[in-house]
Amino acid sequence: AMTLGNHEFDLGMNVLAGVVSGQLAGGDPVTLSLLCANFDFEGTPLAAMIGKSLVKTVGGVKVGIFGLVNEDAQNYSAAVAARLSGDVFTVAGMQAGALKAAGCEVVVCLSHLGTLYDLMGLADNVPYIDVIVGGHSHDLYEQAVVRNGKIIVHAGQFGKYLGELTLEVGNGTVGLVNWQAHP
């Protein structure tokens, strides 16, 4: 799964929909889940292509994942027809709470909000999130940050690194085993 970044909207919603569907540039359709909970895509070409969250079972553990894009994305392109669904932290709290209520043992937020939002916004103010995989600031975390019980990682910019996060889950806790960003 992945969330959208602000620059995915640079060429407008129709171009983004064409890239996602594989109809542009002779590409293949995107086969991973695209998630963005804080924008409403109803009535746009992306409505059926982008979800708010998903639940997967990984190694016998029920994992809930949701995505957030920075609110400035609507300012990057005049062609962005999507509307904000509300305050990003309120939306994050609703998504994380719903995933926990659905029995998810781990809740992951794919955040394209930036380091300050991840550390001081999500980690400090939004319950039920266990892991924040962040972007937008282009930061590379050599070590994972644990803040208010939330594990936060960032793997740099432009696909230069692939992040690998290993967790230990059990007895109602999510613990950090290892974080590496591989060039």
Side-chain angles (χ1 to χ4, degrees):
M2 70 172 272
T3 194
L4 301 170
N6 48 286
H7 290 296
E8 268 70 58
F9 297 99
D10 284 352
L11 299 176
M13 307 274 284
N14 290 328
V15 171
L16 179 56
V19 170
V20 170
S21 69
Q23 294 176 353
L24 286 181
D28 293 323
V30 173
T31 58
L32 53 85
S33 297
L34 297 175
L35 304 174
C36 182
N38 63 319
F39 274 75
D40 177 7
F41 293 97
E42 190 64 36
T44 76
L46 296 166
M49 300 177 185
I50 300 173
K52 294 184 182 303
S53 66
L54 65 86
V55 176
K56 288 189 148 301
T57 300
V58 180
V61 175
K62 194 172 180 181
V63 179
I65 306 167
F66 70 97
L68 301 169
V69 65
N70 64 339
E71 296 172 349
D72 287 338
Q74 65 186 354
N75 299 327
Y76 281 86
S77 170
V80 175
R83 298 170 304 283
L84 284 171
S85 299
D87 171 74
V88 69
F89 301 118
T90 301
V91 171
M94 291 185 325
Q95 289 295 313
L99 290 167
K100 278 293 185 187
C104 293
E105 298 171 72
V106 180
V107 173
V108 178
C109 174
L110 304 176
S111 163
H112 195 85
L113 301 176
T115 292
L116 291 178
Y117 277 85
D118 292 347
L119 292 174
M120 293 192 267
L122 295 172
D124 287 352
N125 298 302
V126 181
Y128 307 117
I129 295 174
D130 299 300
V131 177
I132 300 167
V133 178
H136 186 61
S137 299
H138 299 198
D139 295 326
L140 172 62
Y141 287 19
E142 301 274 333
Q143 297 178 347
V145 173
V146 179
R147 185 175 173 110
N148 289 329
K150 295 167 179 70
I151 299 163
I152 307 166
V153 295
H154 283 233
Q157 61 185 350
F158 307 126
K160 292 179 184 175
Y161 295 89
L162 175 64
E164 180 181 354
L165 177 63
T166 307
L167 305 171
E168 182 175 63
V169 180
N171 299 323
T173 64
V174 178
L176 171 66
V177 174
N178 190 38
W179 160 251
Q180 287 186 300
H182 305 281

